């Protein structure tokens, strides 16, 4: 039996028109879901996204946002299914692969996470978060060379992002490349003052023998602490550094001719 191309074209047009009508009906529900989502009313957002999907089952963005809310609610398995549904609808949608990698990472499936991030970057080679996530996953797998490639590409795309700068700095610190670590930490702190980053930076300064800078960063970190016990521990570290500084000066004075 021969197919009638005119008939098939007519059927396709009818389906397209119906999808357009369904999308138009579902869109206000989706927009309300976004509004509730941004306000932190996640259960209400879930209801609206589901209503939109019920009207238009192939509503990619509604599935994507629903998966995102499931992630926020730590409903990881539900998020996984929704992201996979998004990919079924649109296999070229890089953010879905990126977020799918995050979900796999939370479940401890690092190889699956890597594969998802690689698919994200293959579909959009200008998505910095995918390269950053790729780098973080390689760090967990202790493949620091590949991790550096991921962080480097993320920074090429978003040079001032403090999270990317910090990740690169921490990688350099782990590799004991302290001068490079210091450079990245200083750039990160210019963009965002995160106290724990100062604690990490102080370790790099101490390793390089820059005790004044190490003390300064530890003191800044101590100012941010509210827990008395933790603050006492840091204060003890500061005293140790100051003593180390005094001993260093004494040793230098003895060695003078």
């Amino acid at each position: 039996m021969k197919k009638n191309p005119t008939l098939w074209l007519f059927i396709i047009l009818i389906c397209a028109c119906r999808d357009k009508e369904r999308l138009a009906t579902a869109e206000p529900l989706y927009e309300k879901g976004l509004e509730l989502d941004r306000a932190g009313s996640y259960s209400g957002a879930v209801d609206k996204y589901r209503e939109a999907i019920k009207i238009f089952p192939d509503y990619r963005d509604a599935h994507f946002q629903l998966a995102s809310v499931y992630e926020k609610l730590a409903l990881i398995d539900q998020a996984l299914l929704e992201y996979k549904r998004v990919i079924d609808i649109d296999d070229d949608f890089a953010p879905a692969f990126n977020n799918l990698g995050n979900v796999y990472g939370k479940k401890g499936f690092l190889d699956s996470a890597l594969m998802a991030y690689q698919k994200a970057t293959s579909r959009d080679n200008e998505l910095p978060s995918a390269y950053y996530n790729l780098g973080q996953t390689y760090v967990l797998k202790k493949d620091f060379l590949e991790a550096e490639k991921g962080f480097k590409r993320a920074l090429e795309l978003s040079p001032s992002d403090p999270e990317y700068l910090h990740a690169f700095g921490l990688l350099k610190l782990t590799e004991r490349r302290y001068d490079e670590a210091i450079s990245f930490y200083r750039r990160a702190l210019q963009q965002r003052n995160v106290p724990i980053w100062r604690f990490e930076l102080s370790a790099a300064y101490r390793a390089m023998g820059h005790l004044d800078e190490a003390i300064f960063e530890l003191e800044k970190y101590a100012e941010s602490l509210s827990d008395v016990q933790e603050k006492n521990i840091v204060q003890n570290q500061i005293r140790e550094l100051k003593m180390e500084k005094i001993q260093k000066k004494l040793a230098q004075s003895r060695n003078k001719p």
Side-chain angles (χ1 to χ4, degrees):
M1 181 179 176
K2 292 184 179 180
K3 294 180 179 178
N4 185 332
T6 305
L7 177 60
W8 279 105
L9 179 60
F10 181 68
I11 292 170
I12 290 168
L13 288 172
I14 289 175
C15 290
C17 288
R18 286 178 179 173
D19 283 349
K20 192 173 181 180
E21 290 172 2
R22 290 169 183 165
L23 178 59
T25 305
E27 197 166 19
L29 294 166
Y30 169 73
E31 293 294 338
K32 183 61 179 179
L34 285 177
E35 183 183 325
L36 292 167
D37 197 344
R38 295 187 190 108
S41 301
Y42 298 133
S43 60
V46 166
D47 289 341
K48 293 302 176 185
Y49 292 142
R50 282 176 174 170
E51 288 178 40
I53 290 167
K54 189 174 181 180
I55 294 168
F56 183 35
D58 287 341
Y59 200 159
R60 185 198 71 181
D61 291 352
H63 283 285
F64 182 78
Q65 292 302 140
L66 178 58
S68 177
V69 174
Y70 282 147
E71 262 197 276
K72 294 171 187 174
L73 295 172
L75 300 172
I76 302 304
D77 290 332
Q78 289 94 318
L80 184 68
L81 291 174
E82 285 300 322
Y83 284 130
K84 286 182 176 180
R85 177 62 181 140
V86 175
I87 291 165
D88 286 340
I89 295 167
D90 184 357
D91 188 64
D92 288 325
F93 190 51
F97 284 105
N98 189 26
N99 288 16
L100 181 63
N102 293 342
V103 172
Y104 277 132
K106 289 172 184 176
K107 289 175 73 67
F109 302 155
L110 297 185
D111 290 333
S112 296
L114 281 178
M115 191 178 297
Y117 295 138
Q118 287 163 352
K119 287 181 178 179
T121 58
S122 71
R123 283 153 177 79
D124 183 355
N125 63 5
E126 295 188 355
L127 185 63
S129 59
Y131 288 101
Y132 167 75
N133 290 330
L134 197 59
Q136 292 284 41
T137 307
Y138 275 122
V139 167
L140 293 174
K141 291 177 71 67
K142 301 189 186 303
D143 188 340
F144 299 141
L145 182 61
E146 290 299 323
E148 182 164 341
K149 290 178 184 177
F151 293 147
K152 185 177 180 180
R153 179 58 179 155
L155 278 174
E156 285 173 356
L157 295 167
S158 186
S160 299
D161 189 291
E163 292 292 340
Y164 303 166
L165 290 164
H166 168 251
F168 221 154
L170 186 57
L171 176 64
K172 300 296 184 182
L173 184 60
T174 302
E175 295 177 319
R176 300 183 181 181
R177 293 157 67 178
Y178 300 118
D179 54 341
E180 294 178 70
I182 289 167
S183 175
F184 282 110
Y185 272 105
R186 288 170 65 91
R187 287 169 61 191
L189 285 163
Q190 285 175 356
Q191 301 298 324
R192 185 184 302 166
N193 183 23
V194 179
I196 191 63
W197 296 356
R198 294 190 177 277
F199 179 81
E200 295 166 2
L201 176 57
S202 72
Y205 274 130
R206 185 171 188 174
M208 291 284 289
H210 303 325
L211 299 183
D212 285 332
E213 291 86 348
I215 290 167
F216 175 82
E217 296 300 338
L218 271 183
E219 288 176 339
K220 284 289 185 181
Y221 175 61
E223 290 172 7
S224 71
L225 298 175
S226 56
D227 183 86
V228 175
Q229 186 174 357
E230 188 178 359
K231 196 160 191 170
N232 286 337
I233 292 171
V234 176
Q235 293 290 357
N236 285 335
Q237 291 176 337
I238 293 170
R239 282 191 285 270
E240 287 175 8
L241 282 173
K242 288 181 176 178
M243 183 59 67
E244 187 177 334
K245 180 182 172 184
I246 292 169
Q247 291 170 346
K248 188 176 180 180
K249 282 185 176 180
L250 287 173
Q252 288 172 343
S253 64
R254 291 194 194 102
N255 292 331
K256 285 183 179 179

